[in-house]
């Protein structure tokens, strides 16, 4: 008789059947993340016959408790690093072994849980890596009781990076010069050997040189990056600091210029369909167009047919070409307030692959039929030639629907725009049933003056037109993943893991301080977070809870193995809709072309073999772009406010650490820091559970998301750093003085850290 799912087999049963313990099963899954399916586990432990029922029940219980997560037919530990990653080798341990960490890592991640011990390679197998190198490595959980949680074997060593420092030249009264590094917290360097073409205020690359034991470290100027660092040029700092390729090699530009427009041969002719593009008003490229109409099938009453057409970049960027190699190197386009670093040259992105109004363009399109309840009934992909009926902006399309059409949208209103909004209403029903994560965190945009300096910071209005396009694109991405899975075609998924157990527990402890509960032991679902967010909507805790829930989430990535997309609550998802600016989408386009026999320019066997490496590279490139974009905004705002020292601002506490408080200015969205030593006479202690700094004597303090008044006391525009002084008095905190003692008890020492790593590996 089979046991009920989730129940543990009695010890006696296990002894009689020689079945493994749950801990042994967990250890096998952790050590074999890419090969741990039910069949592999049964084979590893010799589980046969009726004992397979016990294994099925045990694995179901482990999933219910959140201890393992399904990745297709495989099982893995939640929150684990992927099997292949781009790493930076940062140091050596006491025994001389190389230590690395993810090249672009989650800033909220536990440092101890993301370190990787590099295993020595075989002699003669390529260049030996060293400290400072960037490598592609295959990871596995470490079998050591102490030290890094992962071990890595190097697959590839990237081009050696020069050991240089990026900084700004600062002249002193005695005629000497210093280099002020752009990286926060780095000490100044004394410049020697002359400045060459550089002058005071220039952004330069400098190479450290040996100097006397005492005094400042020394460096010499290698090259001038930019003249006189101004607000207009701060994006160049991030471009160089993150080594973002921004100049196309001559052979890439030559290839792009030589490409002839693709014709209609071998394509379905869709030029009569009134597809329209809806983009930001200042968009220069238009890679997606949409159309909708009621379904005329009597078996689908109230249903709709939605069409999404995407620029056919695969028709121009062929595997292995200079264009393709450069696109993979860049991974994605990078967007700064004053410029864009594109993945592809303008000849491709703004011309041949831009779905311009009234011009013939090749596209890869998907037609999707939805029932009245928003459930997708079927879909099909087509390689077509199309002609955009209109180029519209989000506000323009929204105004037409809201009753204020202009000369361009008036003729389109009845036949094109209203059917789009009717279809969006249908898809919204499906989204409501699906219940993706619904965080409410406004995004700010910097508006620049003509000279490139900051004019103002705004929160753009979130229109139904934005949500319409977003939902259409999500459904097209799902259709792409489903088609490729159905054809057993290899692809790169867009994956988003559930929050790690450690982050779940931290969030649970925090919510308890507000009288809110998060279920323990159950498999996480976005709906659980949505219910919490709904409970605090409109309350004083709304902003705080949204922020903490966001921080509990894992970071999305690309991978050839599917684990689903937690935030969107989708079982399979692949990026298909932006091949102009994301290499992942180009891979999916090629995969569709190969799987459906739509032409000779599909995914090649060589590309399929490298998908794991490609996914790791473009995931790292995405994180690199995010960091560069964020740092540029910080520098722009810091430069803008550098003339406003001693002014008071309204801010929100955006981060709490032992060292002090991070605050975000409400008007500008920029972050600054308040050292704990400047908060007052009390001795402030970090209360991790409450996300607060609490005075040991008074029980008063400051908490994440508190609204406070601050004074700007120091600005470092080049580093993007600002230091503030707290003006608001401390407030009573949950638990009061007891918070200090609780924080003290919860403080984790080295032994607890080691125990935590051992527990995670079991």
């Amino acid at each position: 008789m089979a046991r009920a799912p989730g129940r543990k087999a009695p010890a006696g049963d296990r002894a009689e059947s020689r079945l493994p313990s749950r801990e042994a099963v967990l250890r096998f899954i952790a050590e074999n993340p890419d090969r741990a399916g039910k069949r592999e586990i049964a084979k590893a432990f010799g589980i046969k016959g009726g004992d397979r029922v016990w294994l099925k029940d045990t694995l179901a219980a482990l999933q219910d408790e959140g201890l393992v997560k399904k990745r297709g037919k495989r099982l893995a530990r939640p929150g684990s690093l992927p099997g292949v990653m781009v790493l930076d080798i940062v140091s050596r341990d006491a025994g001389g072994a190389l230590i690395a960490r993810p090249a672009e890592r989650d800033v909220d991640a536990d440092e101890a849980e993301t370190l990787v011990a590099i295993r020595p390679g075989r002699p003669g197998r390529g260049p030996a890596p060293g400290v400072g190198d960037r490598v592609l490595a295959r990871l596995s959980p470490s079998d050591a009781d102490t030290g890094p949680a992962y071990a890595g074997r190097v697959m590839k060593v990237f081009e050696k990076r020069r050991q240089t420092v990026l900084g700004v030249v600062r002249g002193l009264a005695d005629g000497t010069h210093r280099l002020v590094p752009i990286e926060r917290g780095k000490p100044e360097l004394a410049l020697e050997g002359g400045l060459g073409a550089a002058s005071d205020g220039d952004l330069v690359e400098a190479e450290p040189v040996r100097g006397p034991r005492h005094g400042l470290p020394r460096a010499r100027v290698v090259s001038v990056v930019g003249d006189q660092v101004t607000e207009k040029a701060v994006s160049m700092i991030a471009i160089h600091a993150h080594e973002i390729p921004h100049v196309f090699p001559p052979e890439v530009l030559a290839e792009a210029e030589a490409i002839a427009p693709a014709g209609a041969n071998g394509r379905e002719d869709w030029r009569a369909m009134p597809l329209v593009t809806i983009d930001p008003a200042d968009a220069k490229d238009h890679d997606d167009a949409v159309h909708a109409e009621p379904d005329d099938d009597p078996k689908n009453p109230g249903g709709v047919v939605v069409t999404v057409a995407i620029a056919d970049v695969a028709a121009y960027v062929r595997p292995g070409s200079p264009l393709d190699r450069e696109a993979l190197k860049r991974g994605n386009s990078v967007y700064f307030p004053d410029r864009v670093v594109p993945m592809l040259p303008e000849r491709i992105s703004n011309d041949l692959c831009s779905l311009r109004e009234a011009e013939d363009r090749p596209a890869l399109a998907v037609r999707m039929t939805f029932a009245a309840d928003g459930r997708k009934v079927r879909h099909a992909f087509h390689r077509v030639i199309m002609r955009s009926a209109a180029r519209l902006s989000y506000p323009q399309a929204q105004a037409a629907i809201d009753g204020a059409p202009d000369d361009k949208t008036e003729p389109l209103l009845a036949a094109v725009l209203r059917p789009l909004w009717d279809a969006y209403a249908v898809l919204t029903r499906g989204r409501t049933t699906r219940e993706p994560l619904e965080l409410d965190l406004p995004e700010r945009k910097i508006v620049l003056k003509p000279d490139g300096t900051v004019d103002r910071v705004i929160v753009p209005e979130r229109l139904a037109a934005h949500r319409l396009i977003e939902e259409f694109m999500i459904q097209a991405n799902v259709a792409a993943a489903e088609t490729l899975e159905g054809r057993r075609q290899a692809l790169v998924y867009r994956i988003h893991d559930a929050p790690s157990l450690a982050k779940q527990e931290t969030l649970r402890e925090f919510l308890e301080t507000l009288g809110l509960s998060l279920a323990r032991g159950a498999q996480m679902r976005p709906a659980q977070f949505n219910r919490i967010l709904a409970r605090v909507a409109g309350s004083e805790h709304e902003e705080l809870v949204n922020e903490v829930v966001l921080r509990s989430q894992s970071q999305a990535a690309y991978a050839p193995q599917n684990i689903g997309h937690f935030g969107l609550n989708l079982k399979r998802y692949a990026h298909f809709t932006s091949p102009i600016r994301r290499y992942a989408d180009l891979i999916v386009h090629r995969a569709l072309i190969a799987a459906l026999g739509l032409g000779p320019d599909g995914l090649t066997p060589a590309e399929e073999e490298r998908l794991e490496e490609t996914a790791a590279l473009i995931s790292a490139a995405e994180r690199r772009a995010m960091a560069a974009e964020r740092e540029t905004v910080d520098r722009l705002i810091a430069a803008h406010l550098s003339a406003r020292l001693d002014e008071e601002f309204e801010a929100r506490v955006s981060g709490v650490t032992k060292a002090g408080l991070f605050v975000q200015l409400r008007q500008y969205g920029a972050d600054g820091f308040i050292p704990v030593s400047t908060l007052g006479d009390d001795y402030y202690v970090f209360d991790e559970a409450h996300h607060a700094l609490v005075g040991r004597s008074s029980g008063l303090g400051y908490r994440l998301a508190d609204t406070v008044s601050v004074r700007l006391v120091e600005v470092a525009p080049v580093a993007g750093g600002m230091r503030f002084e707290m003006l608001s008095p401390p407030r009573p905190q949950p638990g009061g003085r007891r918070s200090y003692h609780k924080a003290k008890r919860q403080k984790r020492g080295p032994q607890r850290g080691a125990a935590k790593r051992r527990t995670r590996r079991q």
Side-chain angles (χ1 to χ4, degrees):
M1 182 175 176
R3 299 182 186 90
R7 290 183 57 189
K8 190 186 296 186
D13 290 353
R14 286 203 304 272
E16 291 172 8
S17 304
R18 299 183 181 276
L19 294 175
S21 66
R22 283 166 39 112
E23 289 71 23
V25 172
L26 284 171
R27 188 160 50 249
F28 178 85
I29 292 171
E31 293 171 354
N32 301 274
D34 298 326
R35 304 193 307 275
K38 187 168 66 174
R39 180 180 299 177
E40 289 76 13
I41 296 171
K43 184 177 180 180
F45 292 104
I47 301 173
K48 301 176 181 179
D51 289 337
R52 289 180 177 268
V53 176
W54 173 88
L55 178 60
K56 179 180 178 181
D57 291 349
T58 298
L59 294 178
L62 292 174
Q63 288 182 67
D64 289 342
E65 295 169 26
L67 295 175
V68 299
K69 183 176 179 64
K70 255 199 164 184
R71 294 183 175 178
K73 293 183 178 180
R74 302 290 183 260
L75 295 159
R77 298 301 303 271
S80 57
L81 293 182
V84 174
M85 275 198 93
V86 177
L87 305 173
D88 282 334
I89 299 178
V90 294
S91 64
R92 292 183 182 271
D93 64 14
L98 295 170
I99 303 298
R101 65 186 180 198
E104 304 292 339
R105 58 204 171 102
D106 182 354
V107 294
D108 292 328
D110 185 338
E111 178 77 11
E113 295 297 303
T114 58
L115 290 180
V116 180
I118 300 297
R119 290 173 174 162
R122 296 179 182 176
R125 291 286 186 92
V131 175
D133 283 347
R134 177 162 289 185
V135 302
L136 185 72
R138 187 174 298 279
L139 308 188
S140 61
S142 173
D143 54 7
D145 289 336
T146 60
Y150 292 88
R153 194 170 295 282
V154 174
M155 302 166 62
K156 178 180 181 180
V157 180
F158 296 112
E159 184 179 342
K160 293 273 186 180
R161 294 183 293 166
R162 296 174 66 187
Q163 296 299 310
T164 58
V165 179
L166 200 63
V168 175
V169 175
R170 181 168 70 89
L172 303 180
D174 61 2
T176 61
H177 292 83
R178 300 276 179 83
L179 183 75
V180 182
I182 63 167
E183 194 173 342
R184 300 181 194 180
K186 292 288 185 181
E188 291 187 0
L189 293 90
L191 289 175
E192 62 177 38
L195 299 182
S199 58
D200 197 25
D202 283 355
L203 178 66
V204 301
E205 248 188 323
E207 191 173 55
V209 296
R210 285 191 175 185
R213 284 188 174 184
H214 305 290
L216 291 176
R218 297 175 179 270
R220 64 180 180 85
V221 174
V222 175
S223 64
V224 179
V225 175
D227 299 335
Q228 295 293 324
V229 178
T230 63
E231 289 174 283
K232 192 173 182 179
V234 294
S235 57
M236 288 303 299
I237 297 176
I239 288 170
H240 280 263
H242 290 275
E243 299 179 326
I244 295 173
H246 66 289
V247 177
F248 285 106
E251 63 271 20
V252 173
L253 294 175
E255 181 187 355
E257 291 301 323
I259 294 176
N265 290 340
R267 298 176 179 273
E268 299 178 43
D269 192 340
W270 281 21
R271 285 174 285 193
M273 181 183 291
L275 289 151
V276 296
T277 62
I278 305 178
D279 292 294
D282 57 354
K284 293 182 179 179
D285 57 65
H286 310 275
D287 56 1
D288 58 82
V290 293
H291 177 265
E293 60 188 357
D295 187 9
D296 58 8
D297 185 350
K299 296 180 180 178
N300 187 28
V304 294
V305 178
V306 172
T307 300
V308 174
I310 305 298
D312 193 352
V313 178
Y316 299 109
V317 182
R318 302 302 176 91
S321 66
L323 263 174
D324 182 54
R325 291 195 300 270
E326 183 68 16
L328 175 56
K329 182 179 178 182
R330 295 177 177 227
N332 46 247
S333 298
V334 188
Y335 294 86
F336 299 106
D338 64 326
R339 74 184 73 208
V340 176
V341 179
M343 185 180 80
L344 296 167
E346 285 192 14
R347 167 67 171 159
I348 304 293
S349 59
N350 293 0
D351 183 5
L352 296 175
C353 288
S354 185
L355 306 181
R356 294 177 176 175
E357 181 177 316
E359 294 187 22
D360 291 357
R361 287 291 184 268
L364 193 57
V366 57
R367 297 192 71 185
M368 302 171 286
T369 302
F370 294 88
D373 60 1
R375 177 177 41 85
K376 182 155 65 70
V377 177
R378 58 185 171 272
H379 69 265
F381 282 87
H382 308 260
R383 213 169 186 190
V384 306
I385 193 81
M386 59 159 285
R387 183 180 296 158
S388 172
R391 169 194 169 184
L392 305 176
S393 69
Y394 287 117
Q396 187 180 22
Q398 188 67 56
I401 290 296
D402 292 343
D406 57 20
D407 293 342
K408 192 170 192 176
T409 55
E410 178 74 51
L412 301 170
L413 187 56
V416 177
L417 293 179
R418 291 205 184 281
L420 283 173
W421 258 257
D422 291 342
Y424 171 55
V426 170
L427 266 62
T428 300
R429 294 176 199 137
R431 179 184 177 91
T432 302
T433 301
R434 191 175 83 240
E435 288 194 274
L437 185 60
E438 301 282 6
L439 287 168
D440 184 17
L441 293 166
E443 293 187 11
R444 289 174 172 81
K445 180 181 179 180
I446 293 181
V447 179
L448 301 177
K449 298 175 183 176
D451 65 356
T453 59
V454 174
D455 180 15
R456 64 191 187 280
V457 179
I458 62 172
V459 178
E461 184 181 2
R462 179 89 166 138
L463 303 171
H466 292 102
R467 292 190 286 268
L468 180 152
I469 295 298
E470 180 182 88
E471 193 60 32
F472 280 24
M473 298 305 121
I474 288 173
Q475 293 300 331
N477 289 337
V478 171
E482 290 177 346
T483 293
L484 293 173
E485 270 198 3
R487 297 280 177 147
R488 298 184 181 278
Q489 169 65 53
L491 72 147
V492 170
Y493 292 92
R494 180 63 168 178
I495 61 171
H496 181 222
D497 208 347
S500 67
L501 292 177
K503 288 188 175 182
Q504 287 180 38
E505 191 58 34
T506 298
L507 176 62
R508 187 176 293 109
E509 290 178 0
F510 165 72
L511 292 174
E512 287 175 356
T513 69
L514 302 179
L516 301 171
S517 61
L518 184 67
R520 181 182 269 106
Q523 192 78 5
M524 279 281 117
R525 292 286 182 268
Q528 293 171 265
F529 293 111
N530 289 340
R531 285 192 287 272
I532 290 168
L533 297 173
R535 287 186 61 184
V536 298
S539 73
E540 61 176 324
H541 300 305
E542 179 178 10
E543 198 170 17
L544 169 63
V545 174
N546 271 270
E547 185 74 37
V548 176
V549 168
L550 173 65
R551 294 183 183 202
S552 72
Q553 303 304 305
S554 302
Q555 188 158 10
Y558 296 103
Q561 298 86 24
N562 184 31
I563 65 170
H565 197 292
F566 177 81
L568 293 174
N569 200 16
L570 292 167
K571 292 182 179 179
R572 53 194 63 82
Y573 192 64
H575 273 165
F576 158 76
T577 55
S578 292
I580 285 177
R581 61 184 181 90
R582 293 187 305 225
Y583 195 83
D585 303 56
L586 178 55
I587 288 288
V588 169
H589 275 233
R590 289 173 178 165
L592 286 165
I593 292 167
L596 300 175
L598 298 177
D601 42 8
L603 198 67
T604 65
E607 284 183 289
E608 286 190 25
E609 290 180 6
R610 294 194 303 268
L611 281 184
E612 199 165 30
E613 177 180 336
T614 299
L617 292 173
I618 59 181
S619 294
E622 179 186 44
R623 295 193 178 197
R624 175 183 69 188
M626 290 169 60
E629 291 166 1
R630 183 176 61 247
E631 290 171 12
T632 297
V633 169
D634 288 345
R635 291 187 177 104
L636 277 169
I637 297 299
H640 181 59
L641 296 179
S642 60
R644 299 179 63 179
L645 290 176
D646 294 325
E647 287 193 27
E648 296 182 16
F649 298 90
E650 184 180 281
R652 181 177 65 89
V653 176
S654 59
V656 183
T657 70
K658 296 176 182 178
L661 303 170
F662 288 94
V663 293
Q664 185 179 73
L665 302 186
R666 284 190 175 277
Q667 182 180 355
Y668 296 100
D671 289 310
F673 188 64
I674 302 175
V676 67
S677 60
T678 67
L679 288 179
D681 296 333
D682 207 341
Y683 183 83
Y684 285 88
V685 178
F686 178 45
D687 183 349
E688 186 177 3
H690 294 82
H691 294 264
L693 283 177
V694 183
R696 179 159 56 180
S697 301
S698 65
L700 305 177
Y702 303 92
R703 191 179 189 189
L704 187 68
D706 278 353
T707 298
V708 294
S709 293
V710 297
R711 177 184 290 117
L712 181 59
V713 295
E714 185 181 352
V715 178
V718 174
M722 294 185 288
R723 184 167 64 83
F724 292 92
E725 177 185 20
M726 178 65 74
L727 299 178
S728 297
R731 306 166 188 174
Q733 296 300 313
R737 297 180 188 178
R738 292 190 300 276
S739 295
Y740 161 70
H741 300 289
K742 183 176 181 181
K744 190 173 182 180
R745 287 196 303 272
Q746 290 179 343
K747 185 176 181 181
R748 291 180 291 179
Q751 292 181 344
R752 176 168 177 169
K756 178 182 175 184
R757 288 192 292 273
R758 284 194 293 272
T759 301
R760 189 190 54 73
R761 288 194 288 268
Q762 288 178 350

